[in-house]
Amino acid sequence: MRIFEALVVGLAAMRSNKMRSLLTMLGIIIGVASVLAMISIGDGAKEIVMQDAQKLGGANQFTIYRTWYKQVGTQWVRIRSNEYMNYGDVLAIAAECPSVKDVTPRIPEWRGALIEASRGRQMRAGYNGVDATYHTAMDWEVQEGRFITDEEVENAASVCVLGDEVATALFGEESPIGQEIKIARGDGRYDRWGRKDNERYTERFTVVGTMTRRGRSLRFGWSYDFLVFMPVTTTQKRFTGNDRIQDIVVYANTVEDVPKAIEEVKAVIRKRHRNQDDFVRIFDMRQGMAQLEKISKVIKIALGSIAGFSLLVGGIGIMNMMLVAVSERTREIGLRKALGATRLDILIQFIMEAVFMCGIGGLIGICVGIFAGQGMAILAVKIAKIVPEWPSVVSTEWVLISITFSALIGISFGLYPAIKASTLSPIEALRTD
């Protein structure tokens, strides 16, 4: 009951000094709004990093690839090993590694080849030799038609699936399913003018499906939408002429299982390749993400600290206003004490008034911060122009922290004025003009 009465008295005091109370709360409003807006932008940046990783297959993946050099001390030494990965390694990893969810081979050509549709439309794009598990491992949906099957991989069928940009460039609004494309490849020889012939031969493929739009990677600057996917065995038969696998992409059960999965995969490679694993190198998706997350965290801490000073200034404003209130209401304090109010009653009254004011300011600040975060996200897209959309992530955790922090500021900065008011002598207070 004592707390309820203190709230009523505090609310009445605020209503009698509306403008002063509003100006006092302004510091809290700005501080809470600033913190929430900065945190939402920082969490939005983290969301962008996660979305970018998802475009490449997710943060739980790592790639094993054949390398020709290793670092010994400060020097790079050529690897003399004749070992190379093959499709048997892919099957062994899938069978023997409990921490691995999916594994798929990849023979990539990122530099681009000349791809031509039956009606003469051409474009430069890359191609990847993969197997039937690729699109499920990548969590990538087929837009039209279907993906490559196990039977087509086994038979080295001349079929392909197009990325969204390739399908649009070659066929426009027309369905490419059942259509034929040609992929030009070269033998690396030079013509009589000294130019390298990279497009001497062409291979024909029947389109069996198209993929949904994946988007461009911020980190690497390229997109899977500009790729043509074909059976890995077809790539070996028509393009490389051997049974080697350049890349093996492994997907762990969870992000936390990646280190364990890496050790399991290394053990399989050593077992199958005469106890050697130095001829392969591992690219862990988490490494790049960790760097981006560190940058995001530093930005968030810096901006949050700057915004935190606004809360400190707001708290000082609360203390200043409460000290003024104690001076102005000295006779009221004396009268309440004369009528039987204890020191605790007066203490609670002024603390609750400060907490109530900070609480209201905090709630207003949260609303302002949410809108400010959305506005800053829109502004970030227009200024940075690196992403089509910057999410403003409002965390429930930070909303609760803002409310709690506002209440703590009210208690901390309202405590001294409240103690000063509670220790006033009723006789001296009633004598005050």
Side-chain angles (χ1 to χ4, degrees), residues 107-109 111-115 125-130 156-160 181-188 198-205 228-244:
I107 301 178
E109 172 54 67
R111 293 172 296 177
L114 184 64
I115 300 176
Y127 58 82
N128 275 194
V130 296
S158 297
V159 296
C160 69
I181 66 168
K182 293 186 289 186
I183 300 179
R185 68 182 182 89
D187 59 3
N198 291 319
E199 296 162 0
R200 174 166 297 188
Y201 303 114
T202 59
E203 300 291 344
R204 297 174 182 271
F205 295 88
V228 175
F229 302 95
M230 62 189 72
V232 62
T233 48
T234 306
T235 311
Q236 291 172 334
K237 181 179 179 181
R238 302 289 186 87
F239 291 93
T240 64
N242 55 55
D243 65 343
R244 300 181 182 185

Side-chain angles (χ1 to χ4, degrees), residues 33-68:
S34 300
V35 169
L36 205 59
M38 297 302 179
I39 294 298
S40 66
I41 288 296
D43 285 343
K46 185 177 179 180
E47 184 71 20
I48 290 172
V49 172
M50 294 302 296
Q51 290 174 359
D52 192 58
Q54 196 60 38
K55 292 176 185 177
L56 303 175
N60 64 323
Q61 69 159 300
F62 57 94
T63 303
I64 315 167
Y65 61 97
R66 178 68 164 92
T67 184
W68 297 100

